[in-house]
Amino acid sequence: MSLTFPELNHGSDLTRLLSQSNRGGDALVHAVHSIADATFTWDYAKGARPGLGKLYEKAKVTQWNATTDLPWDTDVDQEKLAAASLQQFSGAMTADGLDGTPFARWGDKEWIRFAIESENWTLSQFLHGEQGALVCTAKLAETVPWIDAKLFASTQVMDEARHVEVFGRYLDAKLSGHYPVNPHLGALLDDIIADRRWDMTYLGMQVMVEGLALAAFGLMRATTTEPLLEQLLRYVMADEARHVAFGVLSLKELYAGLSGPEVRERQEFAYEAAIRMRDRFLQQEVWDRLGISAADAATFLEQDPLRPMFTVSLFSKIVPNLKKLGLLDAGDGWLRQRFGEIGALQFEDWDDGSGELGTSPE
Ligand SMILES: [Fe+2]
Ligand SMILES: [Fe+2]
């Protein structure tokens, strides 16, 4: 697939983003101050929102057990798998543009080490992101004023617990090291959980970060040849598609009744989150561990064929859902204009994949 994104070329911006380090140091606990109303509803009449009701039923019958439903006895040889994937992407690793950087001197040994560290980093960020989802959906269950949404959100908390469990276990049992949360991912999660308006947590987590998760998991699933990881991602993605549907169904109703300035605020929030997700997850902790400078890493990233693939995957998940929410065209069409400028409108009518996964509530 060849799609172009003129805004993908960031130059020195990449170097700046790669230079930002983790704020938390070695602390094992990170607190985020959040003021939001915990909301009770005495209206227990289920069925007011049939879409959410169906999704709740689906969630109850599609629970799976991370301990017994996955083939944990699969033997995973991370080095051998890294060597095989190296063959697949070897063209990109020898690009002329890497002359004068340490990459020009790298042989198979260094590229394999990079692939291994990169996988450790990626799965670690999946783990941290899953905990972010667990915390955000616990907040949703607490703050959303509709009983149907509280019930579904509770199933999602359990789903996210299972996701934390599987990524943690895969890292411990099959891979070769953990990484701390990337500062840009951490900052995004902090902003989403800290907002006092419950719909912002919904929009940030259910539509934007869940869209990011579907994009990243989908790319990994398409490229891995490891059967346990493939199956694990398939199970997790089926849950995530349901979670995105939960966000879209809930917010569609709410956003139909917002004022112009309220809509614009949501549009700006969504756009900023999209740009942050597109640009900032650059594996800076991997480069640090390998002794590569931010400037050299930026040179590599500008040519990395996986980055445009990720961008396509990301926008094809989030733009259709923002359209379904009415946010793309609401008000004076501010969001349509912005996405048009970065070439992302071509995805507005794409299927986000939830139907294909058999989890569509329709
Ligand atoms: Fe999840
Ligand atoms: Fe999720």
Side-chain angles (χ1 to χ4, degrees):
M1 189 183 322
S2 73
L3 292 164
T4 52
F5 284 83
E7 296 292 304
L8 258 178
N9 195 355
H10 302 287
S12 59
D13 203 28
L14 278 181
T15 310
R16 182 179 60 79
L17 291 167
L18 280 158
S19 305
Q20 293 177 12
S21 59
N22 204 301
R23 307 147 299 158
D26 295 328
L28 281 180
V29 172
H30 170 64
V32 181
H33 188 59
S34 157
I35 305 172
D37 288 343
T39 308
F40 290 90
T41 173
W42 311 125
D43 179 3
Y44 293 104
K46 285 200 286 170
R49 293 176 176 80
L52 290 183
K54 274 195 217 168
L55 211 53
Y56 178 51
E57 289 304 315
K58 198 162 273 183
K60 284 190 285 184
V61 297
T62 46
Q63 296 284 313
W64 45 279
N65 186 337
T67 309
T68 53
D69 291 342
L70 286 169
W72 289 107
D73 56 355
T74 305
D75 186 32
V76 178
D77 185 335
Q78 201 183 8
E79 196 170 327
K80 202 166 145 194
L81 290 161
S85 76
L86 182 62
Q87 304 249 308
Q88 206 182 341
F89 295 104
S90 57
M93 309 307 186
T94 54
D96 293 343
L98 296 178
D99 285 350
T101 70
F103 302 106
R105 297 188 298 276
W106 275 18
D108 282 2
K109 188 170 141 255
E110 288 80 10
W111 285 115
I112 288 169
R113 163 117 201 267
F114 166 65
I116 289 172
E117 292 301 330
S118 183
E119 186 178 30
N120 292 342
W121 182 90
T122 303
L123 271 285
S124 295
Q125 303 316 313
F126 288 174
L127 172 63
H128 302 311
E130 293 295 354
Q131 189 193 166
L134 192 164
V135 170
C136 283
T137 35
K139 183 184 175 186
L140 285 183
E142 183 187 340
T143 54
V144 64
W146 311 323
I147 194 68
D148 294 307
K150 281 184 186 295
L151 296 181
F152 181 85
S154 307
T155 68
Q156 189 177 335
V157 174
M158 181 57 215
D159 292 345
E160 307 299 3
R162 196 165 50 229
H163 301 172
V164 168
E165 183 187 346
V166 291
F167 285 120
R169 181 166 175 183
Y170 194 83
L171 273 157
D172 287 339
K174 309 296 178 186
L175 301 187
S176 51
H178 284 251
Y179 276 85
V181 66
N182 172 269
H184 302 292
L185 175 61
L188 181 65
L189 294 174
D190 284 5
D191 288 349
I192 290 169
I193 192 74
D195 205 293
R196 75 186 158 71
R197 296 158 297 189
W198 61 263
D199 78 283
M200 289 297 205
T201 301
Y202 245 111
L203 179 62
M205 178 48 66
Q206 302 301 120
V207 178
M208 305 306 291
V209 175
E210 295 277 0
L212 166 75
L214 278 176
F217 298 161
L219 256 191
M220 180 165 273
R221 209 183 133 202
T223 50
T224 188
T225 52
E226 200 284 277
L228 168 59
L229 184 60
E230 197 279 331
Q231 192 170 337
L232 183 161
L233 289 168
R234 183 150 42 89
Y235 278 34
V236 170
M237 286 178 75
D239 292 345
E240 303 301 8
R242 203 164 56 234
H243 303 165
V244 175
F246 171 50
V248 172
L249 276 173
S250 307
L251 292 179
K252 206 169 168 177
E253 173 183 336
L254 186 78
Y255 286 177
L258 290 187
S259 70
E262 287 170 331
V263 162
R264 170 62 77 83
E265 217 177 334
R266 272 78 186 166
Q267 290 174 321
E268 289 175 0
F269 181 87
Y271 182 71
E272 195 201 323
I275 295 300
R276 286 166 75 173
M277 296 190 302
R278 182 193 66 175
D279 295 346
R280 298 192 177 188
F281 302 139
L282 305 171
Q283 307 198 347
Q284 65 206 56
E285 297 79 12
V286 172
W287 307 117
D288 287 349
R289 198 168 285 185
L290 298 178
I292 300 289
S293 72
D296 286 335
T299 305
F300 173 80
L301 288 164
E302 277 160 11
Q303 301 174 49
D304 182 1
L306 286 175
R307 291 194 73 225
M309 280 169 70
F310 169 72
T311 306
V312 167
S313 188
L314 174 67
F315 282 102
S316 69
K317 299 287 181 290
I318 59 178
V319 177
N321 286 326
L322 291 170
K323 183 175 185 180
K324 284 182 207 154
L325 291 181
L327 281 183
L328 200 55
D329 293 295
D332 56 3
W334 183 89
L335 192 57
R336 173 173 290 282
Q337 172 87 22
R338 294 287 88 72
F339 278 146
E341 287 161 6
I342 60 168
L345 282 180
Q346 58 195 303
F347 308 117
E348 62 176 298
D349 295 316
W350 282 33
D351 182 345
D352 74 351
S354 55
E356 171 208 330
L357 291 160
T359 51
S360 167
E362 304 305 328

